[in-house]
Amino acid sequence: MFRLQSGKTLAVDLTGDGVKAKNGSMVAYDGRMAFKKMSGGGEGIRGMVTRRLTGEQMTMMEVTGQGTCYFADRASEISLVTLRGDKLYVEASNLLATDAGLRTGTTFTGLRGGASGNGLFTTTVEGTGQAAIMSDGTAVVLRVTTQYPLSVDPGAYIAHQGNLQQHFQSGVNFRTLMGEGSGESFQIRFEGEGLVYVQPSERNTLGGDV
């Protein structure tokens, strides 16, 4: 069971089962726990090779035992995502933990990845269970519908889920209009039905100030 403590610490109650978490993110635990580093983001040797080839780096550990384990990373805000047989697309740097039964992998994202500077691939989490994602500041969850598509700054994008199609496009944003941008700006346009998670802070991107 995943629980949030003050928004910046994840508490996971274990009763003999396990959880996969970002390597080094454990800050405390009570009870009896065992820790095991997982290769390839928990996807084995094939996953390790795939992630090295794609540049989507993720180092995970598996925690099993009885008690409560606490996870955090650089005081990042944490949001919980519940999956019911569907798939979550998330930047590897923003994934903190998942239920042990959820499957992780990588998928091609096209030009969106090139714009964000995080490679042409992103991490997927699939199955039934919970995942914990991180953001710089409190994440905002935005709903996309067929009537209302959404355009997102690549540096603010964290994750998305649902039946969404994404397109990389050049455009003009607020800072460009104010004369504070440098060079061409880029956006991710989401169309379809689903949710998009964004953070109120921007990573550095290959597209310049966006």
Side-chain angles (χ1 to χ4, degrees):
M1 177 181 175
F2 285 18
R3 296 181 288 109
L4 292 182
Q5 302 280 336
S6 303
K8 297 184 179 181
T9 303
L10 171 69
V12 181
D13 299 319
L14 298 175
T15 56
D17 48 347
V19 61
K20 294 186 290 188
K22 183 176 181 180
N23 197 43
S25 62
M26 188 277 294
V27 295
Y29 69 89
D30 59 48
R32 300 175 61 182
M33 299 289 167
F35 301 86
K36 178 183 177 182
K37 185 176 180 179
M38 308 179 73
S39 60
E43 299 145 36
I45 299 300
R46 182 176 181 178
M48 180 172 61
V49 173
T50 300
R51 289 186 177 277
R52 285 183 178 177
L53 290 174
T54 61
E56 181 73 355
Q57 298 297 324
M58 182 175 68
T59 305
M60 303 290 286
M61 61 181 177
E62 182 179 39
V63 184
T64 56
Q66 298 270 355
T68 303
C69 198
Y70 300 88
F71 303 94
D73 186 43
R74 295 171 296 179
S76 297
E77 296 283 345
I78 302 170
S79 300
L80 299 182
V81 179
T82 299
L83 298 177
R84 297 179 176 87
D86 52 332
K87 184 182 294 186
L88 174 72
Y89 300 81
V90 57
E91 297 293 344
S93 59
N94 294 104
L95 181 61
L96 177 63
T98 74
D99 279 331
L102 291 176
R103 302 180 300 278
T104 57
T106 56
T107 189
F108 181 67
T109 59
L111 292 175
R112 185 204 61 76
S116 66
N118 288 338
L120 294 175
F121 291 76
T122 197
T123 291
T124 59
V125 182
E126 187 174 8
T128 298
Q130 286 184 296
I133 60 177
M134 300 179 293
S135 57
D136 185 4
T138 303
V140 178
V141 185
L142 302 174
R143 180 169 293 278
V144 182
T145 67
T146 53
Q147 294 83 9
Y148 296 98
L150 178 71
S151 295
V152 176
D153 188 313
Y157 168 83
I158 301 172
H160 73 272
Q161 63 184 133
N163 185 22
L164 292 175
Q165 298 79 46
Q166 53 181 321
H167 310 281
F168 173 78
Q169 62 183 18
S170 61
V172 178
N173 65 9
F174 178 75
R175 281 195 286 171
T176 303
L177 292 173
M178 296 298 293
E180 297 179 2
S182 61
E184 188 177 16
S185 61
F186 302 95
Q187 299 171 349
I188 315 167
R189 181 178 174 86
F190 290 94
E191 298 175 349
E193 298 281 346
L195 302 175
V196 177
Y197 300 79
V198 298
Q199 62 183 7
S201 178
E202 296 175 293
R203 295 179 294 265
N204 293 328
T205 66
L206 295 179
D209 289 341
V210 294

